[in-house]
Amino acid sequence: MNSLPQNARTVIIGGGVIGCSIAYHLAREGRKDIVVLERSKLTSGTTWHAAGLVRRLRPSATLTKLINYSIDLYKELEVETGQGTGWTQTGSLSIATNEDRLTTLKRQVSLGRAFGLEAEIVDRKQVEELWPLLRTDDVIGAVHSPVDGRVNPSDVALALSKGARARGVQFFEETRVTGLQKKGYRISGVEVGDHVIEADEVVIACGLWSREVAQMADANMPLYACEHFYMLTKPVPEVQALGKGVHLPTLNDQDAFLYARDDVEGLLVGCFEPHAKGLPMEKLPADFSFDLLGEDWDHFMPMMENALHRIPALEKAEVRMLLNGPESFTLDSQFMMGESPEVPGLFLMGGMNSTGIALAGGAGMAMAQWIIAGEPTMELNEADIRRFGPEMNVLGALEARIPEVLGRHYDIAYPGLSMHTARGQRRSPIHSGTSAAGAKFLTRGGWERPEYYAADTVDAPLTFGEPPWREQVGREVEACRSGAAILDQSAFGKIMVQGPDATDFLNRVCAAEMKVAPGRIVYSQILNMRGGIESDITVQRHGAETYMLIVGAGEVTRDLIRLRSAKADFQVELTDVTSGYAIMGLAGAQARAVLQKASSDTLPDLNRFQFAPVEVGLARGWAGRLSYTGEDGFELYFPADMAMAAYEALVAAGAAHAGLTASGSLRIESGFRAWGHEMSPGVTPYEAGTEAFLGWNSDFTGNEALSALRNTPPKRRIVSMLFDDPDAIPIHDEPIWRNGRVVGQITSSAWSYLFNRSVALAMVEAPLDELACNDIVDGFEVEIACARYAAKASLKPAKTAFRNRT
């Protein structure tokens, strides 16, 4: 205890592969005075019993980039430190026993090509050559990725710790953290019994125990553990026959929930079983370290039967052990990282969802850069902890959802895929009305959001092709165009900004001019110092000192953090009022007529981006003249307790309903950008095509960076794309080819009922000169599941550019 320092710049809690990676990368970036505290020994916990599989091809650009970095790092660490990582380039083989699984695998191959990763589609005969132990009569195809491999997880952690030690990082084992200290709201120290280490920043990366340690500082880290199984056999003759030093590719049989590899002349066979077992932390003893949970053959037996079917040699193999090790998962199956929304200076990483070894290098690098820079330095939206508000850290929701997350680890990622458990956590004030109207709901950020209105198709199978609800959504789109359709937008965040400095404060935070008359709505973006887009919002001025910000669904936490960090000496109060108000879009040519019919008062004559009080039925609220669909219409705002009264009056006046699928189609046709798709912290307004909304007269954050770019053409731009072939159905991230090279990726896509084919928005880097000089440019090809489809592009919205070219 006496050897512990009195203070440190950075204290990292957790000596597994994640904590060691963060320490290594902080030190490599030049950070000094770093301390790592481990409750047991380095590599204990989840790290030591991980299977060590590293597969490059992933369903998202972020994961692929991070894992590519990890592999390169693991190759280099042994040279740097002298400590081997066990990296072995075995390749991987992912088999498919149905067409949709094969499509999923092909989509990953196509995504990989955007980053120069080549994998090959192989047939049954090639599968048998690559994995001679397999039964293949039901295999219809596979993907072989020769650049994948595996590592020894403990050796990776030890190599990272050795590299960190060489740069001055101090490691303390058998050192249990008993408390966290704060000064004001900010983290200030770590308690180890009676000893306190004062710290500028603290990082929690302690796996299973992360949620409980975070609670010591009243921080939220919504994680939950599950039991995770894999079986090890004694030597198998068919594996021994391969020869010493010869390895099989890592096998993924996702249709059977299995993965497998050779292991010490035997086999390792693991699973992500559909009915996983959650693990309350109180079931683990306090000294749980290099320990395992009890074997549960009854639970594993259905997976064993799948394994016997796929690998007949297992019938004669002798089992060495059934390993049951606990592991933590998140609500949405993506890991979490970043600065705690509740406690500045406290950084959190965890919930690696069985990808911790593959991600450790890249994620540790990204976290270290975030800590040093004070904000992410790369695209990390899907992993950003700010996607979880405190309402998501509800134990009952975690207990219900996390076993499903593990069980659906190998799900086919169909459009519209949604979890089944922990539903109904957050419901709009008009939820009962939309439910009665036949809404099929998606869950996003805990909110139940209408996807479309055809309850009879709720149980229809998901598909990569034409969905059974396409005609219904077409009717909703038509209602948004020529009728009047209600869109429940209550999940949008609402933040009140009030005080004598409200205008000056918002002119500092927002990139558009906020000094407007009361009753005006301003579209704006919130930028970082590099000029990247942190959020896009609409701002309503309600009075001399009162504004309301309407922010993206699920973005309240991240936007409040940025607002509070900019508050400084401004005399303003910031209040999250999301749950206090409902928002209903009312879109379509008949929107005003229906709204007037539902009101006993004369409607104000509003210009675009103006708002005024309205009475609708028995409710009083206000209406804004804008619509995220690109069609004529309003956004209506009502106190939550009056929302149903307003909704009922609108329905009685003839309003139809429309869901997210319809509004998404209209948004993309209209060329409206969406944060997290076309806009992100690494994208500037010039690249997004939203520079016209900048208010250059104010000293907004990012002004200096953008001023330097003002006379320089951007190197990439968002464009609208229309496909030639109605059978082309992109989803997201598909690579775009032109003249034999990848020039961009799809950012959003939808079925267009205007053109009767898919329409998309995309970020492209070429040919920008040709796009700037022509309304439409042909010659693009978009790769969807290894097939290329011709498309045309324009800097203008699709519904404007392509209307006369179809």
Side-chain angles (χ1 to χ4, degrees):
M1 188 72 69
N2 293 332
S3 63
L4 289 173
Q6 298 294 322
N7 50 66
R9 176 73 183 273
T10 309
V11 175
I12 299 170
I13 305 171
V17 69
I18 299 298
C20 290
S21 181
I22 296 169
Y24 170 84
H25 285 94
L26 280 172
R28 201 175 74 171
E29 292 286 334
R31 177 63 62 91
K32 304 296 183 183
D33 198 14
I34 303 167
V35 171
V36 178
L37 306 178
E38 166 54 46
R39 65 192 291 276
S40 178
K41 299 291 185 182
L42 295 184
T43 80
S44 63
T46 307
T47 297
W48 81 269
H49 60 70
L53 309 182
V54 184
R55 184 166 58 92
R56 289 181 187 261
L57 294 178
R58 296 289 172 168
S60 80
T62 294
L63 293 178
T64 301
K65 289 178 181 178
L66 293 178
I67 291 173
N68 283 335
Y69 174 90
S70 292
I71 292 175
D72 292 340
L73 176 67
Y74 299 161
K75 293 177 182 178
E76 299 165 1
L77 275 173
E78 182 172 0
V79 176
E80 176 190 337
T81 67
Q83 168 68 54
T85 62
W87 166 255
T88 306
Q89 187 170 320
T90 62
S92 69
L93 181 68
S94 299
I95 63 174
T97 59
N98 62 73
E99 289 295 338
D100 283 354
R101 176 66 66 188
L102 189 57
T103 296
T104 298
L105 297 176
K106 288 179 177 179
R107 289 184 58 81
Q108 293 179 7
V109 171
S110 292
L111 175 60
R113 287 175 181 158
F115 306 102
L117 298 179
E118 282 299 330
E120 59 177 335
I121 309 299
V122 296
D123 59 21
R124 185 182 301 168
K125 182 179 179 180
Q126 291 169 296
V127 168
E128 292 168 352
E129 293 171 353
L130 289 163
W131 243 89
L133 283 71
L134 291 188
R135 175 180 174 179
T136 61
D137 58 331
D138 56 347
V139 174
I140 64 170
V143 169
H144 177 226
S145 178
V147 293
D148 294 343
R150 68 199 203 202
V151 293
N152 184 321
S154 294
D155 286 345
V156 170
L158 291 174
L160 289 164
S161 67
K162 190 172 182 179
R165 279 194 174 101
R167 292 174 170 86
V169 176
Q170 298 182 76
F171 286 80
F172 296 90
E173 299 178 303
E174 303 293 347
T175 305
R176 183 187 297 272
V177 171
T178 56
L180 299 176
Q181 293 188 351
K182 295 185 290 185
K183 289 183 180 178
Y185 294 104
R186 186 175 180 84
I187 200 74
S188 63
V190 177
E191 298 174 5
V192 180
D194 295 331
H195 186 88
V196 177
I197 305 174
E198 295 185 359
D200 294 336
E201 60 220 4
V202 175
V203 183
I204 295 176
C206 45
L208 298 169
W209 296 272
S210 293
R211 182 174 185 265
E212 285 66 29
V213 174
Q215 287 176 331
M216 295 177 181
D218 298 319
N220 292 295
M221 200 170 179
L223 303 173
Y224 197 77
C226 280
E227 301 182 29
H228 184 51
F229 297 85
Y230 64 77
M231 178 186 69
L232 296 167
T233 75
K234 293 182 178 180
V236 175
E238 290 86 344
V239 176
Q240 292 176 308
L242 297 172
K244 189 174 182 179
V246 178
H247 297 283
L248 295 166
T250 298
L251 176 69
N252 292 282
D253 181 3
Q254 297 175 348
D255 294 323
F257 317 106
L258 299 174
Y259 60 89
R261 66 172 173 85
D262 58 90
D263 183 83
V264 195
E265 298 187 331
L267 289 169
L268 179 155
V269 180
C271 67
F272 291 94
E273 70 278 20
H275 304 289
K277 296 176 66 175
L279 179 67
M281 289 302 294
E282 57 265 24
K283 287 190 175 182
L284 292 180
D287 60 351
F288 192 87
S289 179
F290 290 100
D291 301 287
L292 295 170
L293 303 169
E295 294 186 348
D296 188 342
W297 281 101
D298 288 341
H299 182 78
F300 187 72
M301 192 52 65
M303 299 299 100
M304 186 66 189
E305 292 173 357
N306 289 353
L308 290 168
H309 168 83
R310 183 59 58 211
I311 308 173
L314 286 172
E315 293 179 5
K316 297 179 181 180
E318 188 176 350
V319 174
R320 180 152 58 95
M321 69 178 301
L322 177 62
L323 187 145
N324 179 4
E327 186 173 350
S328 58
F329 293 79
T330 63
L331 289 161
D332 60 0
S333 78
Q334 297 289 357
F335 76 102
M336 65 175 68
M337 63 179 294
E339 188 171 15
S340 164
E342 297 83 19
V343 186
L346 180 63
F347 290 84
L348 313 170
M349 185 184 291
M352 306 309 290
N353 299 281
S354 284
T355 57
I357 303 303
L359 282 168
M365 172 271 294
M367 180 67 123
Q369 292 182 355
W370 188 335
I371 291 169
I372 292 169
E375 60 185 18
T377 59
M378 61 182 296
E379 302 294 346
L380 294 168
N381 300 332
E382 65 196 77
D384 193 329
I385 194 169
R386 293 173 294 183
R387 72 191 188 273
F388 296 124
E391 68 281 350
M392 305 298 287
N393 193 26
V394 175
L395 188 58
L398 296 171
E399 289 176 337
R401 170 67 60 78
I402 299 306
E404 183 187 7
V405 169
L406 183 151
R408 298 180 68 174
H409 186 80
Y410 283 153
D411 263 13
I412 294 173
Y414 293 111
L417 187 68
S418 196
M419 294 290 183
H420 299 309
T421 53
R423 297 297 298 265
Q425 184 182 29
R426 303 193 77 179
R427 305 178 212 187
S428 158
I430 63 170
H431 177 86
S432 62
T434 57
S435 179
K440 189 270 184 182
F441 294 96
L442 277 175
T443 177
R444 292 290 183 267
W447 285 95
E448 296 292 326
R449 305 195 66 188
E451 182 183 10
Y452 56 84
Y453 287 81
D456 58 329
T457 65
V458 166
D459 296 322
L462 297 174
T463 176
F464 290 118
E466 179 180 347
W469 51 86
R470 180 174 285 176
E471 288 188 10
Q472 167 58 26
V473 173
R475 290 188 285 271
E476 295 174 26
V477 165
E478 183 57 32
C480 289
R481 292 195 206 279
S482 60
I486 295 172
L487 299 121
D488 187 358
Q489 299 170 177
S490 300
F492 286 174
K494 305 108 188 167
I495 301 171
M496 296 296 296
V497 179
Q498 298 169 289
D501 293 341
T503 301
D504 291 341
F505 170 72
L506 288 175
N507 265 339
R508 176 62 178 159
V509 172
C510 299
E513 176 58 58
M514 292 296 136
K515 193 174 182 180
V516 297
R520 283 288 307 279
I521 300 172
V522 179
Y523 169 75
S524 182
Q525 292 160 353
I526 297 175
L527 307 178
N528 54 42
M529 293 298 292
R530 304 184 307 278
I533 302 170
E534 292 286 341
S535 182
D536 75 318
I537 62 177
T538 56
V539 183
Q540 305 169 0
R541 189 168 192 181
H542 285 259
E545 300 182 356
T546 303
Y547 293 79
M548 178 181 276
L549 279 57
I550 309 299
V551 309
E555 300 302 325
V556 174
T557 297
R558 61 175 293 120
D559 287 344
L560 273 174
I561 291 171
R562 189 156 289 273
L563 292 169
R564 286 168 178 159
S565 67
K567 185 177 177 182
D569 296 328
F570 287 106
Q571 296 183 57
V572 291
E573 294 296 329
L574 309 171
T575 310
D576 177 8
V577 296
T578 300
S579 298
Y581 293 91
I583 302 179
M584 284 176 271
L586 188 65
Q590 298 302 312
R592 181 178 176 85
V594 167
L595 185 59
Q596 180 62 78
K597 186 176 179 180
S599 177
S600 57
D601 199 3
T602 301
L603 291 181
D605 188 14
L606 297 172
N607 294 323
R608 281 183 57 78
F609 288 99
Q610 289 184 333
F611 71 94
V614 293
E615 295 179 2
V616 179
L618 304 177
R620 176 186 286 266
W622 67 96
R625 182 80 184 280
L626 72 164
S627 172
Y628 196 40
T629 64
E631 303 299 322
D632 195 13
F634 300 87
E635 282 187 358
L636 308 173
Y637 313 86
F638 297 98
D641 54 359
M642 287 186 168
M644 272 303 295
Y647 167 82
E648 290 165 350
L650 290 169
V651 172
H657 295 80
L660 289 172
T661 308
S663 64
S665 173
L666 292 163
R667 170 186 81 81
I668 295 170
E669 283 181 355
S670 299
F672 288 177
R673 281 59 165 151
W675 196 87
H677 298 273
E678 290 70 48
M679 298 181 289
S680 70
V683 175
T684 70
Y686 292 113
E687 294 168 325
T690 57
E691 67 273 17
F693 296 97
L694 296 172
W696 290 107
N697 292 329
S698 63
D699 184 26
F700 60 84
T701 300
N703 187 315
E704 184 177 349
L706 290 184
S707 294
L709 301 173
R710 203 166 183 178
N711 297 316
T712 303
K715 295 181 179 179
R716 56 181 186 166
R717 293 288 302 272
I718 291 292
V719 298
S720 297
M721 302 197 82
L722 183 68
F723 288 81
D724 293 351
D725 187 343
D727 290 334
I729 304 179
I731 301 174
H732 206 287
D733 286 338
E734 290 84 358
I736 301 167
W737 294 78
R738 197 168 194 272
N739 295 332
R741 72 182 185 97
V742 175
V743 298
Q745 286 181 272
I746 299 294
T747 55
S748 295
S749 65
W751 184 259
S752 168
Y753 293 86
L754 182 62
F755 299 109
N756 201 34
R757 65 196 64 192
S758 290
V759 65
L761 294 172
M763 181 71 81
V764 300
E765 61 184 39
L768 299 186
D769 290 345
E770 193 173 339
L771 283 161
C773 296
N774 298 279
D775 285 346
I776 299 174
V777 176
D778 294 294
F780 293 93
E781 290 182 306
V782 179
E783 184 174 333
I784 305 171
C786 297
R788 296 189 191 180
Y789 296 86
K792 53 182 70 74
S794 176
L795 292 174
K796 295 181 179 180
K799 69 178 183 181
T800 302
F802 304 129
R803 193 180 288 259
N804 297 321
R805 285 286 302 269
T806 56

